[in-house]
Amino acid sequence: MTRTVIRGGLVITAAEEGRMDVLVEDGKVAALATPDSALAEGWTADRTIDATGMYVIPGGVDAHTHFDLPFGGTASSDTFETGTRAAAWGGTTTVVDFAVQSRGRSLREGLDTWHAKSQGTCAIDYAFHMIVSDVNEHTLKEMDGLVEEGVTSFKLFMAYPGVFYSDDGQILRAMQRASGNGGLIMMHAENGIAIDVLIEQALARGESDPRHHGEVRKALLEAEATHRAIQLARVAGSPLYVVHVSAEEAVAELARARGMDLPVFGETCPQYLFLSTDNLAEPGFEGAKYVCSTPLRPREHQAALWRGLRTDDLQVVSTDHCPFCFSGQKELGRGDFSKIPNGLPGVENRMDLLHQAVVDGHLSRRRWIEIACAAPARMFGLYPRKGTIAPGADADIVIYDPNARQTLSAETHHMNVDYSAYEGKTVTGRVGTVLSRGELVIERREFVGRAGHGRFTPRATCQYLN
Ligand code: URP
Ligand code: ZN
Ligand code: ZN
């Protein structure tokens, strides 16, 4: 029985904050007590962590990653091993990655493939959503079985015709199934059919630079798809979670639905909060580094995203970590922006960027922990095991230095990608030590974890619906 005591830190959860010592026993949080209290003084331990001057926060839950994803004629450059290690460096202790059903194949085959990729390689705990790219009678039946196995959420795409795209009838059927089995439908809400027309027209005009990616994937086409997804979910009687929301108009659709008490949820990502179309327009082919979908928007959209996070019209910030190296991968789209693999790196940066949002006054400390730890855990059936520091929870704990300054850079990051989307950005706050189920993964900024420590974690259904 290993006992660790974390002494002297400021414990912050989504619900409260205060100076508390934390006792960890056998991988779980055993107790919290006021420092210097008789209870805390009485704790004996194999290991004592001095957290004086530090925050003691739950490990981050990143509910949207793509490790080793075949996409855009290549595959995302982080494996489960490199990606989960980088996540830990950034204070994230649980990721929910997307297993993929290939067209013409079953959900089971897709899930088995993702289990094989991840088994024995992860530094932190992980779970899966399922991308459904072929809605048919067999797939619909399989959804029930996956919910039973702890894969309780299903991503559908209104974008990428011919790849992941589902039409409205398929979406409605999947939503009807989810309304019966407790699954949560996650939606990539962009009108991909209309976007493909605009891509073709732009390329015919000779508009081939990365910035045109942002111009053809219009905010109105995100808003339209978001609206349509909400109406389809209402008809089906199912809940809906809209992923990677970037447009102000899409936030308005979510806010309207939530104002009607509909079980509609939304996620945004750091890239939409901190980056913009200015990055897509960087000279030469540099803008390719920022090609993702939904795309980066003009800076003016950011205020609506921050507001949505404060008003709870957006509940979660995930990374949509889907890295492609500039050299050899993003370059596939030189001369044709539509061939640039879509996706940005960020699994290592999320907790720090959101802490910077606290420093900048966009968020309170507790809301930081809520949108990065507690809400994603609740949304995807992992709470209170993950996402909080409370007796009985997994001891996934980060000792965070709120005063350290760091400059984000590809030179120093641990993600397996040759650029940083935030190159040169200085932020205040940095991860010091990370525990996953009570075991040290990062110790005073040294990686001491191991591939294979991380376990597949079956999930319950969405906990905002019970
Ligand atoms: O550009 C993105 N978002 N790439 C990853 C796939 C997706 O749609 O989430
Ligand atoms: Zn997507
Ligand atoms: Zn994604």
Side-chain angles (χ1 to χ4, degrees):
M1 181 150 86
T2 318
R3 283 163 68 97
T4 300
V5 179
I6 304 167
R7 293 202 189 270
L10 178 70
V11 174
I12 308 171
T13 67
E16 55 199 346
E17 53 185 75
R19 303 223 166 264
M20 300 288 258
D21 290 351
V22 183
L23 176 66
V24 171
E25 223 169 52
D26 273 350
K28 301 259 182 208
V29 176
L32 290 96
T34 315
D36 305 325
S37 62
L39 182 59
E41 299 257 294
W43 290 339
T44 56
D46 309 299
R47 181 194 299 131
T48 299
I49 297 174
D50 178 8
T52 309
M54 304 284 165
Y55 294 164
V56 178
I57 58 174
V61 178
D62 189 342
H64 191 152
T65 64
H66 300 281
F67 299 138
D68 200 0
L69 171 73
F71 192 43
T74 181
S76 60
S77 57
D78 262 316
T79 60
F80 277 86
E81 181 167 352
T82 63
T84 56
R85 195 165 54 213
W89 271 106
T92 286
T93 52
T94 308
V95 293
V96 192
D97 200 84
F98 286 82
V100 179
Q101 174 198 28
S102 305
R103 286 174 104 85
R105 301 286 173 85
S106 64
L107 298 187
R108 166 61 44 204
E109 281 176 88
L111 185 57
D112 285 351
T113 303
W114 255 254
H115 275 301
K117 285 175 198 257
S118 53
Q119 180 93 40
T121 69
C122 293
I124 54 164
D125 288 350
Y126 60 99
F128 294 129
H129 312 287
M130 188 82 221
I131 286 179
V132 183
S133 30
D134 198 349
V135 178
N136 57 47
E137 274 314 310
H138 181 67
T139 306
L140 290 167
K141 287 201 187 88
E142 282 190 290
M143 285 171 69
D144 300 351
L146 262 62
V147 171
E148 296 297 312
E149 285 178 41
V151 177
T152 57
S153 39
F154 303 90
K155 183 175 176 189
L156 295 165
F157 288 75
M158 300 167 112
Y160 304 132
V163 187
F164 293 136
Y165 175 81
S166 294
D167 67 28
D168 288 354
Q170 291 172 313
I171 290 169
L172 183 67
R173 280 170 177 277
M175 286 175 164
Q176 287 170 332
R177 199 75 188 196
S179 84
N181 66 25
L184 180 60
I185 296 294
M186 307 171 77
M187 189 60 73
H188 181 130
E190 285 187 294
N191 185 328
I193 301 285
I195 286 168
D196 273 9
V197 171
L198 297 179
I199 290 174
E200 201 184 303
Q201 292 170 346
L203 290 173
R205 287 193 297 271
E207 296 168 356
S208 60
D209 294 346
R211 73 190 158 90
H212 297 291
H213 173 82
E215 281 165 19
V216 297
R217 303 188 86 92
K218 296 198 178 298
L220 286 177
L221 295 177
E222 182 186 343
E224 182 278 325
T226 305
H227 178 83
R228 187 158 33 102
I230 292 167
Q231 305 315 317
L232 290 168
R234 288 177 78 181
V235 170
S238 83
L240 174 71
Y241 176 94
V242 181
V243 294
H244 47 54
V245 174
S246 64
E248 176 174 9
E249 295 86 341
V251 180
E253 294 291 345
L254 294 172
R256 191 171 310 125
R258 290 181 61 78
M260 295 165 69
D261 277 341
L262 297 173
V264 170
F265 309 99
E267 157 202 281
T268 191
C269 311
Q271 52 269 35
Y272 306 121
L273 295 164
F274 289 93
L275 304 173
S276 73
T277 44
D278 295 350
N279 299 99
L280 271 173
E282 283 181 15
F285 191 61
E286 288 293 298
K289 293 176 177 173
Y290 306 96
V291 165
C292 60
S293 297
T294 60
L296 302 185
R297 301 291 180 197
R299 199 162 284 286
E300 300 77 71
H301 289 253
Q302 291 172 357
L305 298 175
W306 288 120
R307 196 178 320 112
L309 286 171
R310 284 192 296 271
T311 58
D312 206 36
D313 287 319
L314 296 169
Q315 294 75 37
V316 170
V317 176
S318 306
T319 57
D320 193 9
H321 175 82
C322 190
F324 297 100
C325 287
F326 184 71
S327 172
Q329 293 195 296
K330 289 288 186 182
E331 282 176 334
L332 293 169
R334 271 194 198 277
D336 179 350
F337 68 84
S338 72
K339 294 200 166 57
I340 301 169
N342 281 207
L344 251 64
V347 74
E348 189 171 348
N349 306 129
R350 183 184 65 125
M351 297 297 285
D352 289 329
L353 287 167
L354 293 177
H355 180 260
Q356 184 60 38
V358 175
V359 173
D360 292 343
H362 291 297
L363 303 170
S364 68
R365 283 195 292 224
R366 277 177 256 172
R367 187 63 179 157
W368 168 45
I369 299 305
E370 184 156 35
I371 63 180
C373 311
R378 277 207 172 97
M379 191 68 69
F380 296 107
L382 290 163
Y383 195 86
R385 184 167 166 195
K386 306 291 187 190
T388 193
I389 299 177
D394 281 356
D396 292 358
I397 298 175
V398 175
I399 316 300
Y400 195 82
D401 183 344
N403 298 310
R405 302 264 294 163
Q406 58 166 322
T407 301
L408 306 180
S409 173
E411 297 287 310
T412 47
H413 75 203
H414 303 85
M415 299 176 283
N416 185 38
V417 59
D418 63 0
Y419 74 96
S420 169
Y422 306 97
E423 187 66 41
K425 183 175 174 63
T426 299
V427 293
T428 302
R430 193 171 70 168
V431 168
T433 291
V434 177
L435 296 152
S436 164
R437 279 182 280 104
E439 284 190 29
L440 285 164
V441 182
I442 307 286
E443 186 175 21
R444 280 180 272 146
R445 300 216 48 79
E446 232 184 87
F447 182 76
V448 294
R450 65 179 172 87
H453 163 80
R455 289 186 194 146
F456 171 68
T457 310
R459 297 179 290 111
T461 54
C462 174
Q463 293 162 316
Y464 283 110
L465 300 170
N466 325 326

